[in-house]
């Protein structure tokens, strides 16, 4: 008895389909279904993972799913990789897919901000991965975007409005302008006009579960927007800010405020001078790497000093105000004359949100320092375990070794200064000269108090519990589930850049990014 494909049972057909090559799975399954249209080919397997590479496929898929909601509900992973598409149809297509856990979109000049607003207007609680790659460049000069104000700032605000903190992986990339892609002799459209919405995203419900963030906007100064608000991106472990305008000082400031970040990728960022001639003129061509290592090691120390100054100014202002209120109750007149810097009524500095805050009389008294109390803040240990960046020049094995040696030398110098500072605090604490406090651990009641009071008084700070608090060589368990490491260990440094075939260090941030985002950009 002769058997043909038409006569095979569904179970055997399913087993055959499961052996198809992953890269050609959809094409093979479609070809099989067309070859034996009356057989029970498991065509439902076409829908869980859909990858479109041509704009015209969007309408074809929309036409197929529009009248088949049961098939649309099967779509879990959707990838679209083309720069030309009918954006209106694309929006309607995505709206048909209620079960998405993975969404990757290429966004070309056909997209307007309103399209993404509509896609992300409603929260997608099942979404675990979101990647948006922008290439808004045009071939002929047009000022439509500038005149209309067609910027994608609203996309960040739309994501910030999602109430459920479920998204752990987010990628937002603007491709650098390449003459091979589009002309550079006129102003090309911008993706983001202002970066303030990034600060809003940083403290939104979505950020409380966001562990991996890749945010690349070429040439833009994004660092301060990453940490300008308290508790910015509190769950973040992996951060990629490649192509942004971020210097070594900016990176140290960012790590001082975001003490939980463990892996940072900074390709094509000026964390050291990008001109090799300047490095050579400095005498030691790699000394900037030592300065970078030292700055990163001391990031927590700089942050502690900054907080100390704020605490001192706040305390002085609090007691001056309290004295004025007591005098007012007793009917005394305030004395004329200089009142001191803490109560000056004018300032030559530009106002900022933090400087506008006034001491709150509603703050619990336990969070108000005693009058004339000397308080020191223990600088925290660095948490960074991996730094990946690109070397601005020809990278040879000898150069690689020299850069790494300088970075480690700077790191050791920074750790030494950190150790001495903590030793001074220990002596002062043992002698009863100073009260020593430290930053509260993330998630504790003292840490959460900052959401109500900001950095007023002792909010967000707790007393040290003993001599062990001052020690450096204490193993700290990594929240991400990795092996325990010491806060004094030098971070893994990779300077191979974004090219996949470069001399990357095993386990570097570049490799972690490629594994997380399933690409090599």
């Amino acid at each position: 008895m002769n058997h043909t494909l038409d006569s095979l049972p569904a179970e055997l057909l399913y087993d055959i389909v499961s052996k198809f090559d992953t890269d050609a799975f959809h094409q093979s399954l479609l070809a099989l279904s067309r070859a034996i249209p009356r057989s029970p080919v498991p065509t439902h397997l076409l829908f869980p993972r859909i990858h479109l590479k041509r704009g015209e496929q969007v309408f074809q898929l929309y036409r197929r799913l529009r009248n088949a909601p049961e098939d649309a509900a099967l779509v879990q992973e959707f990838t679209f990789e083309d720069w030309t598409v009918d954006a209106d149809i694309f929006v309607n297509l995505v709206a048909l897919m209620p079960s998405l856990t993975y969404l990757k979109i290429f966004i070309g000049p056909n997209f307007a901000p309103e399209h993404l607003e509509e896609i992300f207007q409603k929260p997608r609680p099942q979404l675990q991965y979101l990647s948006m790659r922008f290439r808004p460049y045009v071939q002929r000069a047009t000022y439509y975007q500038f005149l209309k104000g067609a910027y994608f700032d609203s996309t960040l605000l739309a994501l910030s409005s999602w109430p459920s903190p479920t998204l752990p992986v987010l990628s937002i990339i603007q491709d650098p302008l390449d003459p091979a892609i589009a002309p550079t002799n006129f102003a090309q459209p911008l993706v983001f006009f202002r970066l303030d919405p990034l600060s809003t995203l940083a403290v939104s419900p979505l950020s409380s579960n966001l562990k991996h963030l890749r945010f690349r906007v070429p040439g833009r100064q994004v660092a301060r927007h990453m940490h300008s608000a308290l508790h910015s991106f509190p769950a973040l472990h992996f951060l990629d800010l490649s192509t942004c305008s971020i210097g070594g000082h900016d990176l140290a400031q960012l790590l001082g405020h975001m003490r939980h970040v463990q892996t940072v990728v900074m390709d094509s960022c000026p964390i050291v001078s990008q001109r090799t001639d300047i490095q050579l003129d400095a005498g030691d061509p790699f000394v900037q790497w030592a300065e970078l290592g030292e700055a990163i090691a001391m990031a927590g120390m700089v942050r502690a000093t900054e907080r100390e100054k704020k605490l001192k100014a706040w305390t002085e202002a609090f007691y001056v105000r309290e004295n004025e209120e007591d005098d007012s109750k007793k009917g005394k007149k305030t004395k004329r004359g200089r009142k001191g810097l803490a109560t000056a009524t004018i300032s030559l500095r530009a106002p900022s949100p933090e400087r506008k805050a006034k001491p709150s009389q509603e703050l619990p008294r336990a969070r108000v320092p005693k009058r004339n109390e000397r308080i020191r803040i223990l600088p925290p240990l660095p948490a960074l375990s991996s730094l990946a960046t690109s070397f601005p020049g020809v990278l040879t094995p000898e150069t690689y070794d020299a850069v790494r040696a300088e970075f480690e030398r700077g790191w050791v110098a920074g750790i030494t200064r950190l150790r001495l500072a903590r030793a001074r605090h220990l002596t002062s604490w043992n002698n009863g000269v100073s009260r020593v406090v430290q930053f509260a651990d993330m998630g504790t009641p003292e840490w959460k108090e900052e959401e109500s009071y900001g950095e007023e008084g002792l909010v967000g700070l707790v007393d040290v519990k003993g001599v062990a608090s001052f020690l450096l060589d204490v193993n700290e368990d990594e929240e991400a589930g990795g092996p325990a490491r010491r806060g004094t260990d030098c971070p893994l440094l990779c300077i191979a850049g974004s090219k996949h075939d470069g001399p990357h260090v095993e386990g570097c941030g570049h490799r972690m990014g490629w594994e997380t985002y399933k690409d090599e950009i």
Side-chain angles (χ1 to χ4, degrees), residues 286 288-294 296 384 387 401-413 490-493:
F286 307 123
Q288 292 185 79
W289 294 96
E291 295 170 353
L292 177 65
E294 184 174 7
I296 292 175
L384 187 69
L387 172 63
D401 292 340
V403 167
R404 191 175 303 154
E406 284 297 293
F407 182 79
E408 291 178 358
R409 181 174 69 85
W411 175 269
V412 170
C490 184
L492 185 69
L493 177 66

Side-chain angles (χ1 to χ4, degrees), residues 216 238-242 263-267 269 387-389 509-510:
R216 301 180 182 178
F238 176 95
L239 176 62
D240 182 342
L241 296 177
S242 298
T263 302
V264 173
V265 181
M266 292 278 172
D267 289 332
C269 293
L387 172 63
T389 184
H510 295 119

Side-chain angles (χ1 to χ4, degrees), residues 3 40 54-55 104 124 141 192-193 245 273 275 282 293 306 336 339 377 380 408 416 418 455 472 496:
H3 291 281
R54 301 192 313 275
K104 183 177 183 180
R124 290 184 174 271
F192 300 108
F193 181 69
S245 179
S273 174
R275 292 178 55 183
E306 173 190 296
R336 292 184 177 181
K339 296 180 181 180
I377 297 178
E408 291 178 358
T416 300
L418 179 63
E455 291 186 333
L472 283 181

Side-chain angles (χ1 to χ4, degrees), residues 45-83:
L45 296 179
L46 288 169
F47 300 104
R49 295 179 178 86
I50 296 179
H51 187 176
L52 305 185
K53 293 187 176 182
R54 301 192 313 275
E56 59 269 20
Q57 292 176 306
V58 170
F59 178 69
Q60 296 169 5
L61 181 61
Y62 172 72
R63 189 172 54 182
R64 172 66 177 80
L65 296 181
R66 181 176 52 186
N67 299 317
E70 66 283 357
D71 291 334
L74 295 175
V75 182
Q76 296 180 337
E77 298 184 9
F78 179 56
T79 299
F80 175 69
E81 295 182 325
D82 192 13
W83 300 111

